[in-house]
Amino acid sequence: MTTVLKLGGSVVTEKDSPETVDDAALARAAEAVADFDGDLVLVHGGGSFGHHAAAERGVSADSGTRSAADARAIHDAMGRLNAAVLDALHEAGVEALPVRPLSLASRDADGDLSLPTGSVATMLAEGFVPVLHGDGVVQSGSGVTVTSGDDLVVALAGDGALDVGRVGLCSTVPGVLDEDGDVIARIERFAEAADALGGSDATDVTGGMAAKVEKLLALGAPAHVFGSEGLDEFVAGGSPGTVVRGE
Ligand code: IP8
């Protein structure tokens, strides 16, 4: 059984300063990961690396580029963050290897992501920890668009060959929050999340979390949404934050 864990970009970078790693937070996360026992695939987000590079070039999940230079700039920014994440993991004693989505993945015209996982599966079998990241990915009809780490998590968890039994999404919020800002302990149906999230004015964030929950509910494995304070508990097999598990 494999565990997939995403470290949000805001957990490991200073989100407001371009291309700045939060070294202390990254070192803490790497040490927590080093305590994990079992098969683990890591994914990290873009933080102040990928999001900054993509926004500067007007590239997003919905708006692609046909400039290879722009696509490379986004990919290279993510490469610098990925290298920092790998350095921290190696420092903590984790045998981590990069798996870079631009060279591996594609999307069809509807946005459906195809992520071949043979290299990930073989790395796991050989005792390595594969580390993927949100990236520019080629999309049919659109050039290169942004694929988020969340979408990679969903693709990995839905890949039967990897036998994913548990998913963790570690970000800067302590879980899925209700209208009062309290963590919802468990979500089993989309209607529950939609009701709880519906009243907020922060439509962007709310829409993002509701969409995320909808995708997580469709997975065959339970997904835990938690903040960095919950990382040790997740790594030890516990259930910090919100558990999202479809019926
Ligand atoms: O932070 C975005 O990944 P995310 C990656 O997981 C890029 O949404 C390239 C902006």
Side-chain angles (χ1 to χ4, degrees):
M1 197 182 86
T2 301
T3 295
V4 176
L5 170 63
K6 181 189 173 195
L7 298 173
S10 52
V11 174
V12 294
T13 71
E14 310 262 8
K15 229 181 163 181
D16 296 329
S17 328
E19 301 221 0
T20 309
V21 175
D22 183 337
D23 291 313
L26 177 55
R28 271 197 306 278
E31 275 157 29
V33 167
D35 287 337
F36 182 79
D37 190 16
D39 285 347
L40 179 67
V41 180
L42 281 177
V43 177
H44 64 79
S48 60
F49 287 74
H51 288 287
H52 184 75
E56 263 190 343
R57 291 160 182 85
V59 181
S60 67
D62 303 318
S63 175
T65 179
R66 288 207 155 71
S67 157
D70 284 352
R72 266 197 68 201
I74 297 164
H75 182 64
D76 289 352
M78 287 309 300
R80 289 189 282 279
L81 177 55
N82 188 243
V85 171
L86 289 165
D87 284 349
L89 289 166
H90 293 170
E91 187 72 26
V94 179
E95 300 299 336
L97 287 175
V99 176
R100 308 209 52 205
L102 173 63
S103 306
L104 193 63
S106 60
R107 285 182 177 277
D108 68 15
D110 295 328
D112 287 335
L113 179 65
S114 156
L115 178 72
T117 56
S119 58
V120 169
T122 309
M123 283 181 191
L124 288 173
E126 294 301 310
F128 295 105
V129 173
V131 185
L132 293 82
H133 56 78
D135 203 358
V137 166
V138 74
Q139 177 167 352
S140 191
S142 302
V144 169
T145 55
V146 170
T147 287
S148 78
D150 291 347
D151 288 344
L152 297 169
V153 167
V154 169
L156 290 162
D159 188 307
L162 293 178
D163 187 25
V164 172
R166 236 168 134 238
V167 168
L169 294 173
C170 176
S171 75
T172 46
V173 284
V176 182
L177 306 181
D178 65 17
E179 288 166 86
D180 301 323
D182 295 325
V183 173
I184 303 169
R186 191 171 183 88
I187 297 172
E188 291 176 345
R189 282 181 297 276
F190 185 65
E192 295 164 5
D195 287 352
L197 296 168
S200 167
D201 288 340
T203 46
D204 249 24
V205 172
T206 306
M209 188 56 94
K212 188 184 289 201
V213 166
E214 191 171 21
K215 285 181 195 168
L216 297 177
L217 280 168
L219 300 179
H224 303 259
V225 180
F226 54 91
S228 40
E229 69 290 338
L231 189 52
D232 288 312
E233 189 182 340
F234 177 79
V235 161
S239 294
T242 303
V243 185
V244 181
R245 171 156 218 175
E247 289 175 306

